[in-house]
Structures are given as structure tokens and as C-alpha cells.
Amino acid sequence: MSDATSNHYFLSWDELHRDTRILAKKLTYKKWQGIIGIARGGLIPAAILARELNIRLMDTLCISSYDHDRQGELNVLKAVEGNGAGYLLVDDLVDTGVTAKAAQDMLPEATLVTVYAKPKAKSLAAFYARDFEQETWIHFPWDIAPSYSEPLVK
């Protein structure tokens, strides 16, 4: 459900699940060793991909470059050992590329995949399910709550 006038897109759980399954279909060409979810946004897509691809080995890369609704300083809270060979590196979105580039520098042999991609950095993702315009702010389902909607006519 989008709000085109203000460049905001409110993503539903159903859309996220559908789009992540679309991404999973693109990844069936290979047997992956494991999945590394980039916390926090990549954790739910990583779990869905793990289920769809029958992968049980999972880890997390705890890195952030956002503070709620604005780009902030890059912060690595937990790294992953190794170079990422044979692993999927999963995030919800590649936007400016700051987080993606840092993650790829830490795990250069991992395959970075995202559910969503924006033009500025979509070339960093080996695979993604759907793109958005750079100016669109995506509100993920874990950041929003359902609320009452007034009828058009009372």
C-alpha cells in the first residue's frame, strides 16, 4: 500500500513474504552452505530464505547505518569469521550502499542478496526481488502498526 504523494511505501507482511519467496526462487540454482542475516532488517528475510531453501546453518552480521529514519554512522556490533564463501549474505534493502559495501568488505566471498533495491546501490546485490525509486522511504512491517481507517463516507 503506497502513499505516492509523499514518497512513502508501507509494506505489508504478505508483500514481504511474497517478495522474499520470489528472491528464494532465484537462489535455487546452487546449494548454499548457510545464511548470514544482516541485523536487524535482514533477519526476517534470512529466516524466510532459510526455510524456502532448506538451510539450517545461520549466523548474523550485526551492522547498522540507520538511526530510525535517517542515515547515520556505520557501526559494527558483531562480525562473522571467514570470508563468506558459499554463504548468502541477506539484507532487507540496499539503499545507499553503505551497509552493503561494509558487509561485502568483511565477507568478500559471500553472495549479497536483498529483497528490495534502490538505483543508487542495486548493482551491489547479486539478486533482489523488487526495486523502488531512490526517493521512496520504505516502511517495513516490523516498524508499523495497523490502525483504524476512517470510512470515505460517513
Side-chain angles (χ1 to χ4, degrees), residues 26-85:
K26 296 178 180 185
L27 301 171
T28 59
Y29 72 94
K30 178 178 178 177
K31 180 148 178 60
W32 301 96
Q33 278 191 277
I35 292 179
I36 301 164
I38 299 175
R40 294 177 312 205
L43 296 180
I44 291 169
I48 295 168
L49 289 175
R51 187 234 183 231
E52 296 299 331
L53 299 173
N54 197 24
I55 298 171
R56 303 253 179 207
L57 183 58
M58 297 183 71
D59 202 346
T60 57
L61 173 60
C62 301
I63 185 171
S64 70
S65 63
Y66 280 94
D67 180 20
H68 177 60
D69 62 351
R70 65 186 177 277
Q71 191 78 32
E73 184 178 314
L74 189 70
N75 191 12
V76 178
L77 302 168
K78 178 193 166 289
V80 174
E81 289 187 27
N83 64 7

Side-chain angles (χ1 to χ4, degrees), residues 29-30 32-34 36 81-89 103-112 126:
Y29 72 94
K30 178 178 178 177
W32 301 96
Q33 278 191 277
I36 301 164
E81 289 187 27
N83 64 7
Y87 281 77
L88 287 171
L89 181 57
Q104 287 178 321
D105 287 347
M106 288 186 267
L107 299 162
E109 297 299 316
T111 300
L112 176 70

Side-chain angles (χ1 to χ4, degrees), residues 108-152:
E109 297 299 316
T111 300
L112 176 70
V113 300
T114 63
V115 184
Y116 305 107
K118 292 186 180 180
K120 193 172 187 179
K122 72 180 178 181
S123 64
L124 297 172
F127 297 95
Y128 61 91
R130 183 172 164 196
D131 24 14
F132 281 89
E133 293 179 13
Q134 194 67 42
E135 302 76 30
T136 301
W137 186 264
I138 303 169
H139 296 272
F140 285 89
W142 49 82
D143 289 328
I144 57 179
S147 64
Y148 177 73
S149 176
E150 289 288 334
L152 295 175

